[in-house]
Amino acid sequence: MASAPIIVLANAEIRDEFIMEGMQRLRRGASAGDVAEFIACAVEDDPEEHTVGYGGWPNILGEVELDASFMDGATLRAGAVAGLKGFRHPISVARQVMLRLPHVLLAGEGAARFAIEIGAERRDMLSPEARAAWQQRIAEVVQHEEEDAITLTVRALVERRGSDTMNVIVRDGVGDICSAVSTSGIAWKYPGRVGDSPLIGAGNYCANRYGAATCMGLGEAAIRVGAAAQAVMLMRLGWSLEAAGREVVCQLSTLLGESNAADHMRRADWVRILLMDAAGNVGAFATRPGLSYKVQTADDPWPITREVVCPA
Ligand code: GLY
């Protein structure tokens, strides 16, 4: 029997070397889950990636609050953390939520308590560069010393500093698919803001039998259309990957067009969705042109960068 196609599908911002090392592990027989976690951890450690892990942009108070989720397509088990502070690898904590608890999502203090109990490595996640950028932004938006966090957040968010996200979908040699998502969320967000990344169904969904989807960009939009689960459910209903991606992005575009009138979303105005179907076909779709993604199969010596489809 021919083995299943081995694939790593990732957002274009992930370094080739991380994807290539992940592929090497898959060729040697590693599981999709282990490789998805490995790649996510590598990105979380990268100080130059300012929307994931160490060095991620902080919230309006200067605290790095991290969201992550992990889903196993063979069993539909999932784990996630939201607003986790002070731990090196949110994705690993998310995976352990899946493996050790009868829950899917832990937030804030509970997530931190769990991270301590499992011995997760602590780290101050605010890099000097991220601290300096935050201090500069605060200096730009503060007009009176007594202003509250609501006022400051709304003013600060008019400048978009990314809600890019670490997205990886991995298919291993036995045909299992796992998806991992990790982010520091929108820069200068209101404390406690949770995006789509830790919400199974919004920013992450994965089922061996139908396919997988992960999102990046404005989490509020992905949440409101249930983007990841909806794309996979359309494939479950027999839609092609291309048709499912276009349909979800059209819904997101409509929503964003309406939301762009509202001040709080004026600059954070796109969503990109990565898709893999049950046969291992891949694609990516976005509400604006000019974005790309990376894919590597077992036959490729390195990841190939492809343009996303932007339905007109
Ligand atoms: N997509 C990441 C976020 O909005 O937090």
Side-chain angles (χ1 to χ4, degrees):
M1 193 178 83
S3 60
I6 295 173
I7 304 163
V8 176
L9 173 64
N11 55 295
E13 294 77 8
I14 296 182
R15 294 174 191 264
D16 282 2
E17 66 212 61
F18 301 157
I19 297 172
M20 289 163 68
E21 173 58 27
M23 178 52 71
Q24 199 51 28
R25 292 177 184 216
L26 287 167
R27 290 190 187 107
R28 291 197 295 258
S31 69
D34 286 349
V35 170
E37 182 177 355
F38 162 76
I39 293 173
C41 285
V43 180
E44 287 175 344
D45 274 344
D46 185 348
E48 289 175 24
E49 175 48 77
H50 286 297
T51 53
V52 183
Y54 178 75
W57 303 127
N59 67 18
I60 197 69
L61 301 180
E63 303 162 331
V64 182
E65 293 181 311
L66 298 163
D67 295 343
S69 66
F70 189 96
M71 189 159 184
D72 173 9
T75 60
L76 304 191
R77 293 174 75 193
V81 289
L84 182 66
K85 293 187 238 179
F87 292 89
R88 181 178 171 192
H89 288 307
I91 195 68
S92 299
V93 181
R95 192 179 184 195
Q96 290 303 316
V97 170
M98 178 185 89
L99 294 173
R100 297 195 195 200
L101 282 177
H103 305 311
V104 168
L105 172 61
L106 295 181
E109 286 179 15
R113 179 192 179 102
F114 175 76
I116 292 166
E117 287 197 18
I118 65 169
E121 186 178 342
R122 289 176 180 268
R123 185 173 191 185
D124 177 358
M125 301 300 275
L126 185 63
S127 69
E129 191 183 347
R131 182 193 302 276
W134 167 71
Q135 285 170 335
Q136 184 188 338
R137 188 65 188 145
I138 289 294
E140 288 165 1
V141 299
V142 168
Q143 293 173 7
H144 307 286
E145 271 182 19
E146 67 279 7
E147 282 175 327
D148 59 24
I150 300 174
T151 307
L152 293 179
T153 300
V154 171
R155 208 176 286 146
L157 283 185
V158 172
E159 180 215 49
R160 185 168 192 283
R161 275 271 189 157
S163 49
D164 294 311
T165 307
M166 195 297 310
N167 280 188
V168 66
I169 301 173
V170 178
R171 193 176 198 271
D172 65 24
V174 296
D176 284 337
I177 308 174
C178 282
S179 52
V181 177
S182 182
T183 188
S184 51
I186 295 179
W188 336 135
K189 63 191 174 186
Y190 193 88
R193 178 265 184 187
V194 174
D196 59 319
S197 302
L199 302 183
I200 297 299
N204 187 356
Y205 198 81
C206 182
N208 281 6
R209 291 178 66 191
Y210 312 115
T214 56
C215 298
M216 62 199 76
L218 182 64
E220 280 75 2
I223 293 168
R224 290 165 68 194
V225 304
Q230 189 181 165
V232 175
M233 288 309 129
L234 289 173
M235 293 193 287
R236 178 181 183 179
L237 293 175
W239 291 44
S240 68
L241 177 146
E242 177 88 15
R246 284 176 178 272
E247 167 61 22
V248 172
V249 163
C250 284
Q251 290 178 34
L252 288 163
S253 292
T254 303
L255 190 70
L256 288 165
E258 292 162 1
S259 299
N260 282 348
D263 281 350
H264 69 289
M265 287 188 175
R266 196 160 51 202
R267 300 300 304 272
D269 57 0
W270 57 268
V271 177
R272 173 177 47 183
I273 183 163
L274 297 186
L275 292 183
M276 181 184 291
D277 69 16
N281 300 303
V282 300
F285 303 83
T287 60
R288 75 165 172 82
L291 299 169
S292 51
Y293 67 101
K294 289 180 178 174
V295 59
Q296 185 177 10
T297 72
D299 297 331
D300 299 323
W302 47 75
I304 314 281
T305 299
R306 294 186 190 161
E307 292 290 302
V308 303
V309 172
C310 176

